[in-house]
mmCIF file of all heavy atoms in Angstrom:
data_model
loop_
_atom_site.group_PDB
_atom_site.id
_atom_site.type_symbol
_atom_site.label_atom_id
_atom_site.label_comp_id
_atom_site.label_asym_id
_atom_site.label_seq_id
_atom_site.Cartn_x
_atom_site.Cartn_y
_atom_site.Cartn_z
ATOM 1 N N ILE B 97 10.061 5.076 -12.390
ATOM 2 C CA ILE B 97 9.787 6.443 -12.931
ATOM 3 C C ILE B 97 9.465 6.255 -14.423
ATOM 4 O O ILE B 97 10.308 5.670 -15.101
ATOM 5 C CB ILE B 97 10.903 7.427 -12.687
ATOM 6 C CG1 ILE B 97 11.207 7.549 -11.220
ATOM 7 C CG2 ILE B 97 10.766 8.731 -13.430
ATOM 8 C CD1 ILE B 97 12.422 8.366 -10.896
ATOM 9 N N PRO B 98 8.250 6.754 -14.936
ATOM 10 C CA PRO B 98 7.919 6.646 -16.316
ATOM 11 C C PRO B 98 9.068 7.152 -17.199
ATOM 12 O O PRO B 98 9.565 8.170 -16.958
ATOM 13 C CB PRO B 98 6.636 7.480 -16.423
ATOM 14 C CG PRO B 98 6.111 7.573 -15.096
ATOM 15 C CD PRO B 98 7.266 7.571 -14.161
ATOM 16 N N ASP B 99 9.352 6.516 -18.339
ATOM 17 C CA ASP B 99 10.365 6.899 -19.273
ATOM 18 C C ASP B 99 10.078 8.296 -19.724
ATOM 19 O O ASP B 99 9.022 8.741 -20.075
ATOM 20 C CB ASP B 99 10.338 5.964 -20.518
ATOM 21 C CG ASP B 99 11.076 4.690 -20.307
ATOM 22 O OD1 ASP B 99 11.777 4.679 -19.290
ATOM 23 O OD2 ASP B 99 10.893 3.697 -21.113
ATOM 24 N N GLY B 100 11.205 9.086 -19.790
ATOM 25 C CA GLY B 100 11.173 10.453 -20.421
ATOM 26 C C GLY B 100 10.638 11.498 -19.481
ATOM 27 O O GLY B 100 10.555 12.678 -19.804
ATOM 28 N N SER B 101 10.238 11.080 -18.206
ATOM 29 C CA SER B 101 9.625 12.138 -17.356
ATOM 30 C C SER B 101 10.677 12.929 -16.707
ATOM 31 O O SER B 101 11.819 12.346 -16.319
ATOM 32 C CB SER B 101 8.663 11.498 -16.343
ATOM 33 O OG SER B 101 9.112 10.389 -15.755
ATOM 34 N N SER B 102 10.585 14.172 -16.524
ATOM 35 C CA SER B 102 11.505 15.035 -15.695
ATOM 36 C C SER B 102 10.913 15.589 -14.448
ATOM 37 O O SER B 102 11.766 15.964 -13.558
ATOM 38 C CB SER B 102 12.115 16.164 -16.626
ATOM 39 O OG SER B 102 11.011 16.887 -17.097
ATOM 40 N N VAL B 103 9.605 15.652 -14.340
ATOM 41 C CA VAL B 103 8.969 16.117 -13.261
ATOM 42 C C VAL B 103 7.862 15.341 -12.615
ATOM 43 O O VAL B 103 7.027 14.920 -13.424
ATOM 44 C CB VAL B 103 8.365 17.546 -13.323
ATOM 45 C CG1 VAL B 103 7.772 18.174 -12.084
ATOM 46 C CG2 VAL B 103 9.488 18.547 -13.937
ATOM 47 N N LEU B 104 7.915 14.893 -11.444
ATOM 48 C CA LEU B 104 6.824 13.983 -10.886
ATOM 49 C C LEU B 104 6.185 14.872 -9.738
ATOM 50 O O LEU B 104 6.795 15.543 -8.978
ATOM 51 C CB LEU B 104 7.442 12.819 -10.072
ATOM 52 C CG LEU B 104 8.280 11.825 -10.878
ATOM 53 C CD1 LEU B 104 8.830 10.761 -9.929
ATOM 54 C CD2 LEU B 104 7.531 11.232 -12.064
ATOM 55 N N LEU B 105 4.829 14.857 -9.903
ATOM 56 C CA LEU B 105 4.083 15.599 -8.904
ATOM 57 C C LEU B 105 3.025 14.658 -8.072
ATOM 58 O O LEU B 105 2.363 13.980 -8.708
ATOM 59 C CB LEU B 105 3.218 16.685 -9.507
ATOM 60 C CG LEU B 105 2.334 17.539 -8.621
ATOM 61 C CD1 LEU B 105 3.192 18.344 -7.621
ATOM 62 C CD2 LEU B 105 1.496 18.508 -9.440
ATOM 63 N N LEU B 106 3.191 14.655 -6.806
ATOM 64 C CA LEU B 106 2.329 13.907 -5.973
ATOM 65 C C LEU B 106 1.189 14.839 -5.597
ATOM 66 O O LEU B 106 1.560 15.725 -4.771
ATOM 67 C CB LEU B 106 3.049 13.398 -4.756
ATOM 68 C CG LEU B 106 3.774 12.116 -4.969
ATOM 69 C CD1 LEU B 106 4.758 11.827 -3.662
ATOM 70 C CD2 LEU B 106 3.017 10.812 -5.167
ATOM 71 N N ASP B 107 -0.060 14.617 -6.019
ATOM 72 C CA ASP B 107 -1.085 15.380 -5.776
ATOM 73 C C ASP B 107 -1.844 14.906 -4.464
ATOM 74 O O ASP B 107 -2.643 13.796 -4.719
ATOM 75 C CB ASP B 107 -2.099 15.671 -6.743
ATOM 76 C CG ASP B 107 -3.160 16.708 -6.677
ATOM 77 O OD1 ASP B 107 -3.469 16.906 -5.495
ATOM 78 O OD2 ASP B 107 -3.769 17.143 -7.617
ATOM 79 N N PHE B 108 -1.709 15.404 -3.330
ATOM 80 C CA PHE B 108 -2.232 14.863 -2.149
ATOM 81 C C PHE B 108 -3.519 15.618 -1.633
ATOM 82 O O PHE B 108 -3.888 15.554 -0.480
ATOM 83 C CB PHE B 108 -1.232 14.862 -0.956
ATOM 84 C CG PHE B 108 -0.281 13.747 -1.133
ATOM 85 C CD1 PHE B 108 1.013 13.877 -0.269
ATOM 86 C CD2 PHE B 108 -0.478 12.693 -1.926
ATOM 87 C CE1 PHE B 108 1.883 12.736 -0.375
ATOM 88 C CE2 PHE B 108 0.550 11.586 -1.959
ATOM 89 C CZ PHE B 108 1.665 11.672 -1.283
ATOM 90 N N ALA B 109 -4.146 16.351 -2.649
ATOM 91 C CA ALA B 109 -5.273 17.179 -2.245
ATOM 92 C C ALA B 109 -6.446 16.361 -1.529
ATOM 93 O O ALA B 109 -7.147 16.800 -0.674
ATOM 94 C CB ALA B 109 -5.837 17.938 -3.457
ATOM 95 N N GLU B 110 -6.538 15.128 -2.040
ATOM 96 C CA GLU B 110 -7.550 14.283 -1.434
ATOM 97 C C GLU B 110 -7.073 13.242 -0.450
ATOM 98 O O GLU B 110 -7.724 12.230 -0.247
ATOM 99 C CB GLU B 110 -8.447 13.631 -2.589
ATOM 100 C CG GLU B 110 -9.304 14.737 -3.343
ATOM 101 C CD GLU B 110 -10.177 14.051 -4.271
ATOM 102 O OE1 GLU B 110 -11.174 13.591 -3.958
ATOM 103 O OE2 GLU B 110 -9.750 14.133 -5.483
ATOM 104 N N LEU B 111 -5.865 13.473 -0.055
ATOM 105 C CA LEU B 111 -5.262 12.566 0.910
ATOM 106 C C LEU B 111 -5.691 13.083 2.374
ATOM 107 O O LEU B 111 -5.418 14.126 2.694
ATOM 108 C CB LEU B 111 -3.728 12.617 0.958
ATOM 109 C CG LEU B 111 -3.018 11.691 1.862
ATOM 110 C CD1 LEU B 111 -3.129 10.173 1.259
ATOM 111 C CD2 LEU B 111 -1.492 11.946 2.072
ATOM 112 N N THR B 112 -6.441 12.191 2.996
ATOM 113 C CA THR B 112 -7.146 12.587 4.420
ATOM 114 C C THR B 112 -6.279 12.295 5.502
ATOM 115 O O THR B 112 -6.435 12.772 6.630
ATOM 116 C CB THR B 112 -8.480 11.969 4.530
ATOM 117 O OG1 THR B 112 -8.330 10.497 4.419
ATOM 118 C CG2 THR B 112 -9.493 12.481 3.448
ATOM 119 N N TYR B 113 -5.356 11.312 5.349
ATOM 120 C CA TYR B 113 -4.571 10.853 6.436
ATOM 121 C C TYR B 113 -3.206 10.344 6.016
ATOM 122 O O TYR B 113 -3.074 9.711 5.016
ATOM 123 C CB TYR B 113 -5.318 9.768 7.096
ATOM 124 C CG TYR B 113 -4.527 9.095 8.353
ATOM 125 C CD1 TYR B 113 -4.531 9.571 9.569
ATOM 126 C CD2 TYR B 113 -3.809 7.951 8.040
ATOM 127 C CE1 TYR B 113 -3.808 9.178 10.558
ATOM 128 C CE2 TYR B 113 -3.143 7.313 9.110
ATOM 129 C CZ TYR B 113 -3.122 7.906 10.392
ATOM 130 O OH TYR B 113 -2.418 7.290 11.334
ATOM 131 N N ILE B 114 -2.175 10.673 6.795
ATOM 132 C CA ILE B 114 -0.843 10.075 6.552
ATOM 133 C C ILE B 114 -0.215 9.688 7.901
ATOM 134 O O ILE B 114 -0.193 10.397 8.925
ATOM 135 C CB ILE B 114 0.100 10.997 5.686
ATOM 136 C CG1 ILE B 114 1.309 10.234 5.171
ATOM 137 C CG2 ILE B 114 0.447 12.226 6.507
ATOM 138 C CD1 ILE B 114 2.068 10.991 4.067
ATOM 139 N N SER B 115 0.472 8.517 7.958
ATOM 140 C CA SER B 115 1.236 8.043 9.109
ATOM 141 C C SER B 115 2.707 7.953 8.651
ATOM 142 O O SER B 115 3.127 8.260 7.495
ATOM 143 C CB SER B 115 0.780 6.698 9.564
ATOM 144 O OG SER B 115 1.139 5.772 8.670
ATOM 145 N N SER B 116 3.604 7.464 9.615
ATOM 146 C CA SER B 116 4.992 7.375 9.255
ATOM 147 C C SER B 116 5.180 6.360 8.157
ATOM 148 O O SER B 116 6.155 6.517 7.341
ATOM 149 C CB SER B 116 5.811 6.971 10.472
ATOM 150 O OG SER B 116 5.435 5.707 10.856
ATOM 151 N N ALA B 117 4.340 5.461 8.042
ATOM 152 C CA ALA B 117 4.455 4.510 6.888
ATOM 153 C C ALA B 117 4.246 5.157 5.551
ATOM 154 O O ALA B 117 4.976 4.824 4.594
ATOM 155 C CB ALA B 117 3.402 3.395 6.995
ATOM 156 N N GLY B 118 3.474 6.183 5.521
ATOM 157 C CA GLY B 118 3.321 6.966 4.266
ATOM 158 C C GLY B 118 4.397 7.794 3.895
ATOM 159 O O GLY B 118 4.898 7.970 2.912
ATOM 160 N N LEU B 119 4.953 8.435 5.069
ATOM 161 C CA LEU B 119 6.162 9.209 4.900
ATOM 162 C C LEU B 119 7.373 8.590 4.343
ATOM 163 O O LEU B 119 8.097 8.978 3.572
ATOM 164 C CB LEU B 119 6.620 9.830 6.366
ATOM 165 C CG LEU B 119 5.575 10.865 6.961
ATOM 166 C CD1 LEU B 119 6.022 11.242 8.358
ATOM 167 C CD2 LEU B 119 5.486 12.121 6.004
ATOM 168 N N ARG B 120 7.413 7.217 4.823
ATOM 169 C CA ARG B 120 8.499 6.421 4.351
ATOM 170 C C ARG B 120 8.411 6.207 2.833
ATOM 171 O O ARG B 120 9.447 6.291 2.222
ATOM 172 C CB ARG B 120 8.373 4.959 5.048
ATOM 173 C CG ARG B 120 9.271 3.879 4.630
ATOM 174 C CD ARG B 120 8.917 2.552 5.285
ATOM 175 N NE ARG B 120 9.177 2.622 6.752
ATOM 176 C CZ ARG B 120 10.239 2.196 7.206
ATOM 177 N NH1 ARG B 120 11.207 1.633 6.535
ATOM 178 N NH2 ARG B 120 10.486 2.263 8.506
ATOM 179 N N VAL B 121 7.319 6.069 2.356
ATOM 180 C CA VAL B 121 7.091 5.869 0.902
ATOM 181 C C VAL B 121 7.520 7.128 0.069
ATOM 182 O O VAL B 121 8.071 7.116 -0.950
ATOM 183 C CB VAL B 121 5.765 5.392 0.513
ATOM 184 C CG1 VAL B 121 5.405 5.441 -1.009
ATOM 185 C CG2 VAL B 121 5.445 4.007 1.098
ATOM 186 N N VAL B 122 6.997 8.312 0.695
ATOM 187 C CA VAL B 122 7.301 9.539 0.053
ATOM 188 C C VAL B 122 8.778 9.821 0.011
ATOM 189 O O VAL B 122 9.367 10.312 -0.962
ATOM 190 C CB VAL B 122 6.598 10.661 0.806
ATOM 191 C CG1 VAL B 122 7.036 12.068 0.322
ATOM 192 C CG2 VAL B 122 5.054 10.626 0.686
ATOM 193 N N LEU B 123 9.489 9.565 1.121
ATOM 194 C CA LEU B 123 10.883 9.796 1.123
ATOM 195 C C LEU B 123 11.731 8.759 0.229
ATOM 196 O O LEU B 123 12.681 9.280 -0.482
ATOM 197 C CB LEU B 123 11.489 9.535 2.595
ATOM 198 C CG LEU B 123 12.897 9.808 2.775
ATOM 199 C CD1 LEU B 123 13.421 11.188 2.283
ATOM 200 C CD2 LEU B 123 13.387 9.639 4.261
ATOM 201 N N LYS B 124 11.231 7.492 0.091
ATOM 202 C CA LYS B 124 11.840 6.631 -0.893
ATOM 203 C C LYS B 124 11.669 7.184 -2.278
ATOM 204 O O LYS B 124 12.530 7.005 -3.098
ATOM 205 C CB LYS B 124 11.102 5.271 -0.694
ATOM 206 C CG LYS B 124 11.912 4.274 -0.002
ATOM 207 C CD LYS B 124 11.224 2.917 0.065
ATOM 208 C CE LYS B 124 11.461 2.152 -1.230
ATOM 209 N NZ LYS B 124 10.771 0.776 -1.172
ATOM 210 N N ALA B 125 10.512 7.695 -2.629
ATOM 211 C CA ALA B 125 10.174 8.166 -3.933
ATOM 212 C C ALA B 125 11.064 9.348 -4.234
ATOM 213 O O ALA B 125 11.603 9.567 -5.374
ATOM 214 C CB ALA B 125 8.749 8.499 -4.060
ATOM 215 N N ALA B 126 11.173 10.293 -3.215
ATOM 216 C CA ALA B 126 12.047 11.503 -3.387
ATOM 217 C C ALA B 126 13.549 11.033 -3.580
ATOM 218 O O ALA B 126 14.183 11.781 -4.401
ATOM 219 C CB ALA B 126 11.981 12.353 -2.136
ATOM 220 N N LYS B 127 13.977 10.035 -2.994
ATOM 221 C CA LYS B 127 15.373 9.531 -2.979
ATOM 222 C C LYS B 127 15.577 8.997 -4.464
ATOM 223 O O LYS B 127 16.598 9.343 -5.096
ATOM 224 C CB LYS B 127 15.704 8.542 -2.100
ATOM 225 C CG LYS B 127 16.041 9.052 -0.629
ATOM 226 C CD LYS B 127 16.207 7.874 0.391
ATOM 227 C CE LYS B 127 16.629 8.285 1.750
ATOM 228 N NZ LYS B 127 18.029 8.669 1.947
ATOM 229 N N LEU B 128 14.595 8.307 -4.921
ATOM 230 C CA LEU B 128 14.665 7.618 -6.234
ATOM 231 C C LEU B 128 14.612 8.725 -7.302
ATOM 232 O O LEU B 128 15.427 8.679 -8.308
ATOM 233 C CB LEU B 128 13.545 6.712 -6.564
ATOM 234 C CG LEU B 128 13.458 6.082 -7.856
ATOM 235 C CD1 LEU B 128 14.508 5.083 -8.016
ATOM 236 C CD2 LEU B 128 12.099 5.234 -8.001
ATOM 237 N N ALA B 129 13.799 9.726 -7.214
ATOM 238 C CA ALA B 129 13.742 10.765 -8.181
ATOM 239 C C ALA B 129 15.022 11.640 -8.221
ATOM 240 O O ALA B 129 15.632 11.782 -9.222
ATOM 241 C CB ALA B 129 12.618 11.794 -7.804
ATOM 242 N N LYS B 130 15.552 11.946 -6.987
ATOM 243 C CA LYS B 130 16.846 12.691 -6.900
ATOM 244 C C LYS B 130 17.974 11.913 -7.559
ATOM 245 O O LYS B 130 18.708 12.478 -8.333
ATOM 246 C CB LYS B 130 17.213 12.975 -5.436
ATOM 247 C CG LYS B 130 18.496 13.683 -5.144
ATOM 248 C CD LYS B 130 18.270 15.127 -5.153
ATOM 249 C CE LYS B 130 19.536 15.898 -5.123
ATOM 250 N NZ LYS B 130 19.682 16.915 -4.060
ATOM 251 N N GLY B 131 18.066 10.620 -7.356
ATOM 252 C CA GLY B 131 19.062 9.719 -7.846
ATOM 253 C C GLY B 131 18.987 9.555 -9.462
ATOM 254 O O GLY B 131 19.912 9.359 -10.133
ATOM 255 N N SER B 132 17.769 9.886 -9.917
ATOM 256 C CA SER B 132 17.520 9.756 -11.393
ATOM 257 C C SER B 132 17.500 11.125 -12.045
ATOM 258 O O SER B 132 17.073 11.139 -13.237
ATOM 259 C CB SER B 132 16.159 9.001 -11.638
ATOM 260 O OG SER B 132 15.981 7.826 -10.797
ATOM 261 N N GLY B 133 17.827 12.103 -11.359
ATOM 262 C CA GLY B 133 17.817 13.520 -11.934
ATOM 263 C C GLY B 133 16.436 14.003 -12.327
ATOM 264 O O GLY B 133 16.207 14.871 -13.109
ATOM 265 N N VAL B 134 15.436 13.487 -11.532
ATOM 266 C CA VAL B 134 14.078 13.940 -11.752
ATOM 267 C C VAL B 134 13.552 14.799 -10.575
ATOM 268 O O VAL B 134 13.933 14.564 -9.378
ATOM 269 C CB VAL B 134 13.109 12.747 -11.847
ATOM 270 C CG1 VAL B 134 11.689 12.925 -11.977
ATOM 271 C CG2 VAL B 134 13.460 11.981 -13.123
ATOM 272 N N THR B 135 12.858 15.859 -10.876
ATOM 273 C CA THR B 135 12.290 16.674 -9.757
ATOM 274 C C THR B 135 10.964 16.010 -9.213
ATOM 275 O O THR B 135 10.131 15.618 -9.970
ATOM 276 C CB THR B 135 11.872 18.081 -10.311
ATOM 277 O OG1 THR B 135 13.086 18.644 -10.872
ATOM 278 C CG2 THR B 135 11.352 18.980 -9.186
ATOM 279 N N LEU B 136 10.962 15.812 -7.854
ATOM 280 C CA LEU B 136 9.706 15.425 -7.194
ATOM 281 C C LEU B 136 9.149 16.565 -6.416
ATOM 282 O O LEU B 136 9.925 17.160 -5.511
ATOM 283 C CB LEU B 136 9.905 14.152 -6.389
ATOM 284 C CG LEU B 136 8.628 13.607 -5.787
ATOM 285 C CD1 LEU B 136 8.268 12.218 -6.210
ATOM 286 C CD2 LEU B 136 8.667 13.677 -4.194
#
Side-chain angles (χ1 to χ4, degrees):
Chain B
I97 297 177
D99 276 346
S101 46
S102 59
V103 184
L104 302 177
L105 178 65
L106 278 168
D107 187 338
F108 282 164
E110 291 185 81
L111 185 73
T112 55
Y113 175 84
I114 192 166
S115 71
S116 65
L119 292 174
R120 173 185 291 267
V121 171
V122 171
L123 181 55
K124 260 183 81 176
K127 281 176 177 281
L128 178 67
K130 179 89 188 234
S132 313
V134 170
T135 301
L136 180 119

